[in-house]
Amino acid sequence: ISSEDLRFFNVLAKSVSLAEAARKMDVTPPAVTQRLRALEERIGIRLIDRSGRRMTLTDEGALVASHGTIVAEARALRRDGL
């Protein structure tokens, strides 16, 4: 998983729906769905359970999201010179 994938998934994990994530990323909901599907296929793990308009992280998705948060915090510290 690339750092760009982690950033994408971090936004997704902090959203209540794919549509909300799409608005945050300024892309269409189908673009988010396609990118998520490609990521899940590439790593062979389902990251999000989708039911209706809501979504929840799988256990694996929660783990990926936590790693994304750690990477984002490390980048911010490095950027701030700490």
Side-chain angles (χ1 to χ4, degrees):
I1 297 177
S2 70
S3 58
E4 186 62 32
D5 290 334
L6 289 174
R7 278 193 293 273
F8 162 77
F9 193 71
N10 210 22
V11 171
L12 196 57
K14 292 178 181 179
S15 303
V16 297
S17 68
L18 293 174
E20 180 185 321
R23 282 191 298 275
K24 289 178 180 178
M25 291 184 257
D26 198 27
V27 298
T28 64
V32 172
T33 299
Q34 288 174 354
R35 184 161 181 193
L36 173 61
R37 189 173 294 132
L39 176 60
E40 289 176 328
E41 287 176 10
R42 194 166 64 246
I43 63 175
I45 298 171
R46 187 167 188 164
L47 300 171
I48 294 203
D49 283 325
R50 305 159 195 67
S51 59
R53 294 178 183 248
R54 301 204 48 89
M55 62 180 195
T56 56
L57 298 176
T58 62
D59 290 342
E60 295 84 357
L63 185 60
V64 170
S66 70
H67 284 285
T69 300
I70 291 167
V71 169
E73 289 172 358
R75 285 178 163 233
L77 288 173
R78 191 169 69 180
R79 181 189 65 234
D80 295 340
L82 299 177

